[in-house]
Amino acid sequence: MRLDKYLSDMGAGTRSELKKEIRKSGASIDGKIIKDPGFSVDPSSHVVFRGNIIAYEDFVYYMLNKPAGVISASEDDREPTVVDLITEQKRKDLFPIGRLDRDTEGLLLITNDGTLAHRLLSPKHHIDKVYYVKVSGILTGSDIELFRDGLVLTDGLECLPADLEILSVSDDEYTSEAEITIREGKFHQVKRMFSSIGAEVIYLKRLSMGPLALDPELAPGEYRRLTADEMVSLGL
Ligand code: URA
């Protein structure tokens, strides 16, 4: 791979900026200073640029605690996106695995690995997704059964069985808190499921997706790389 592409893939800058900088200051490849941006670099080479070792990674994986108010997209002319929240030097091909609504918080994976995205999002795979939810209204045991039997939404959509665990109810506030586990990911799915039993979602946060749980140390808007154990749990 060309040196300028290698560095650009690793988030060091645009190809045109890098061409100029490489011609001027060079990069060290396996101990030799190279000033040719087209120099052919092997991904296993030892590359030092601007004093930093730049190892080539095909894929990167970030866990983000999505805050409310940002959209689940790679880029947008008008609105801040979840990829904008990755502030370190980053690859240009990042995207979120799936979508959370603008007002939903919680676990979102950001990557450039399309195969993993397909595996986690494919409707065939029925990956468990757990959400914490606060709704208007009082949830009861019969709602648990309705969710377990598979709700039919007002538009006729038949949902797969879902697990509802009621955490608390407040008669004073007329609200309930619960955790819901769903195995599909249709548009506004959780909100529509609660709406079909007459409850409105006031707050929604994704807690886990398959084997991956949101790190409680991450405040909304914060992110980190997946750990080695998390990567293994995803079969990476
Ligand atoms: N279900 C919803 O209704 N919204 C989300 O953001 C995620 C699941």
Side-chain angles (χ1 to χ4, degrees):
M1 173 185 328
R2 289 176 57 100
L3 174 58
D4 55 359
K5 176 163 180 0
Y6 179 110
L7 293 172
S8 166
D9 279 357
M10 292 306 99
T14 65
R15 294 277 287 276
S16 57
E17 285 162 7
L18 288 164
K19 276 183 188 146
K20 281 187 209 144
E21 193 171 338
I22 294 165
R23 283 195 192 103
K24 193 162 168 245
S25 315
S28 161
I29 316 290
D30 295 326
K32 282 196 198 127
I33 299 297
I34 304 292
K35 293 196 164 185
D36 171 10
F39 184 85
S40 175
V41 192
D42 189 279
S44 62
S45 303
H46 183 76
V47 176
V48 181
F49 185 63
R50 299 176 188 144
N52 299 314
I53 298 171
I54 315 268
Y56 195 83
E57 295 174 294
D58 284 322
F59 299 118
V60 288
Y61 305 92
Y62 299 97
M63 174 187 292
L64 170 72
N65 183 356
K66 178 191 173 297
V70 294
I71 58 168
S72 296
S74 299
E75 54 185 358
D76 193 88
D77 291 342
R78 277 176 246 161
E79 310 240 25
T81 74
V82 289
V83 171
D84 294 334
L85 294 172
I86 310 294
T87 49
E88 67 189 44
Q89 240 185 28
K90 64 184 173 205
R91 302 182 56 114
K92 290 192 297 289
D93 51 2
L94 296 179
F95 60 87
I97 296 193
R99 284 168 193 275
L100 293 176
D101 297 337
R102 182 208 298 260
D103 58 352
T104 301
E105 295 187 357
L107 176 65
L108 195 60
L109 264 173
I110 311 278
T111 185
N112 61 330
D113 183 347
T115 307
L116 177 68
H118 177 72
R119 188 145 55 76
L120 291 178
L121 297 177
S122 162
K124 282 189 221 138
H125 291 141
H126 301 315
I127 301 288
D128 277 9
K129 281 154 290 234
V130 181
Y131 292 85
Y132 163 84
V133 62
K134 184 168 182 185
V135 297
S136 66
I138 304 297
L139 297 173
T140 66
S142 60
D143 296 318
I144 296 177
E145 281 170 28
L146 286 172
F147 277 71
R148 192 171 48 216
D149 293 345
L151 284 172
V152 180
L153 303 187
T154 41
D155 59 8
L157 178 76
E158 291 179 27
C159 298
L160 290 175
D163 300 326
L164 181 65
E165 184 189 347
I166 301 170
L167 301 174
S168 69
V169 294
S170 164
D171 291 318
D172 293 344
E173 274 189 25
Y174 195 60
T175 57
S176 307
E177 292 174 281
E179 272 184 25
I180 175 176
T181 306
I182 57 171
R183 283 143 196 127
E184 54 199 332
K186 306 245 166 56
F187 185 60
H188 294 328
Q189 173 130 9
V190 173
K191 291 176 183 164
R192 288 160 69 204
M193 287 171 89
F194 280 100
S195 163
S196 78
I197 59 157
E200 190 204 340
V201 171
I202 302 167
Y203 175 77
L204 186 60
K205 176 178 184 176
R206 183 155 63 194
L207 302 177
S208 70
M209 189 173 187
L212 209 62
L214 178 65
D215 182 340
E217 299 289 313
L218 292 176
E222 289 184 346
Y223 68 90
R224 64 159 171 76
R225 296 278 191 129
L226 290 193
T227 64
D229 284 350
E230 287 167 340
M231 307 242 305
V232 169
S233 77
L234 288 169
L236 299 169

Coordinates of all heavy atoms in Angstrom, one line a residue, residues 99-101 104 131 182 186-192 204, ligand 1:
R99 N -28.8 2.1 14.6 CA -29.2 3.4 14.9 C -29.9 3.5 16.2 O -30.7 2.6 16.5 CB -30.2 4.0 13.8 CG -29.5 4.4 12.6 CD -30.6 4.6 11.5 NE -29.8 4.7 10.2 CZ -29.3 5.8 9.7 NH1 -29.4 6.9 10.4 NH2 -28.6 5.8 8.6
L100 N -29.6 4.5 17.0 CA -30.4 4.9 18.1 C -31.1 6.2 17.8 O -30.5 7.1 17.1 CB -29.6 5.0 19.4 CG -28.9 3.8 19.9 CD1 -28.0 4.1 21.1 CD2 -29.9 2.7 20.3
D101 N -32.3 6.4 18.2 CA -33.0 7.7 18.0 C -32.2 8.8 18.5 O -31.4 8.7 19.5 CB -34.4 7.7 18.6 CG -35.3 6.6 18.0 OD1 -35.0 6.2 16.9 OD2 -36.2 6.3 18.7
T104 N -32.3 9.0 22.2 CA -31.9 7.7 23.0 C -30.4 7.8 23.3 O -29.6 8.3 22.6 CB -32.2 6.5 22.1 OG1 -33.5 6.5 21.7 CG2 -31.8 5.2 22.8
Y131 N -32.6 -2.6 26.9 CA -32.8 -1.2 27.1 C -33.3 -0.9 28.5 O -34.2 -1.7 29.0 CB -33.8 -0.6 26.1 CG -33.3 -0.6 24.7 CD1 -33.5 -1.8 23.9 CD2 -32.7 0.5 24.1 CE1 -33.0 -1.8 22.6 CE2 -32.3 0.5 22.8 CZ -32.5 -0.7 22.0 OH -32.0 -0.7 20.7
I182 N -35.1 -7.0 23.6 CA -35.8 -7.3 22.3 C -34.7 -8.0 21.4 O -33.5 -7.9 21.7 CB -36.3 -6.0 21.6 CG1 -35.2 -5.0 21.4 CG2 -37.5 -5.4 22.3 CD1 -35.6 -3.8 20.5
K186 N -36.4 -3.0 14.7 CA -37.2 -2.2 13.7 C -37.2 -0.7 14.2 O -37.0 -0.4 15.3 CB -38.6 -2.7 13.7 CG -38.7 -4.2 13.4 CD -39.4 -4.5 12.0 CE -39.2 -5.9 11.5 NZ -39.6 -6.9 12.4
F187 N -37.6 0.2 13.2 CA -37.6 1.6 13.5 C -38.4 2.0 14.7 O -39.6 1.5 14.8 CB -38.2 2.2 12.2 CG -38.2 3.7 12.2 CD1 -37.0 4.4 12.3 CD2 -39.4 4.4 12.0 CE1 -37.0 5.8 12.2 CE2 -39.4 5.8 12.0 CZ -38.2 6.5 12.1
H188 N -37.9 2.7 15.6 CA -38.6 3.1 16.9 C -39.2 1.9 17.6 O -40.3 2.1 18.2 CB -39.7 4.1 16.6 CG -39.2 5.5 16.0 ND1 -38.0 6.0 16.4 CD2 -39.8 6.3 15.2 CE1 -37.9 7.2 15.8 NE2 -38.9 7.4 15.0
Q189 N -38.5 0.8 17.5 CA -39.2 -0.4 18.0 C -39.7 -0.3 19.4 O -40.8 -0.6 19.7 CB -38.3 -1.6 17.9 CG -38.8 -2.9 18.5 CD -38.8 -4.1 17.6 OE1 -38.2 -4.0 16.6 NE2 -39.4 -5.1 18.0
V190 N -38.8 0.1 20.4 CA -39.2 0.1 21.8 C -40.3 1.1 22.0 O -41.3 0.8 22.7 CB -38.0 0.4 22.7 CG1 -38.4 0.5 24.1 CG2 -36.9 -0.8 22.5
K191 N -40.2 2.2 21.4 CA -41.2 3.3 21.6 C -42.6 2.8 21.1 O -43.6 3.0 21.7 CB -40.8 4.6 20.9 CG -39.6 5.3 21.6 CD -39.2 6.5 20.8 CE -37.9 7.1 21.5 NZ -37.2 8.0 20.6
R192 N -42.5 2.2 19.9 CA -43.8 1.7 19.4 C -44.4 0.5 20.2 O -45.6 0.4 20.3 CB -43.5 1.2 17.9 CG -43.3 2.5 17.0 CD -42.6 2.1 15.7 NE -43.4 1.3 14.8 CZ -42.9 0.4 13.9 NH1 -41.6 0.3 13.8 NH2 -43.7 -0.2 13.1
L204 N -35.0 6.6 27.2 CA -34.6 5.3 26.7 C -33.0 5.2 26.6 O -32.4 6.2 26.1 CB -35.2 5.1 25.3 CG -35.0 3.7 24.6 CD1 -35.6 2.6 25.5 CD2 -35.6 3.7 23.2
Ligands
URA1 N1 -36.1 1.6 20.0 C1 -36.6 2.9 19.9 O1 -37.7 3.1 19.9 N2 -35.6 3.8 19.8 C2 -34.3 3.6 19.8 O2 -33.5 4.5 19.7 C3 -33.9 2.2 19.9 C4 -34.8 1.3 20.1

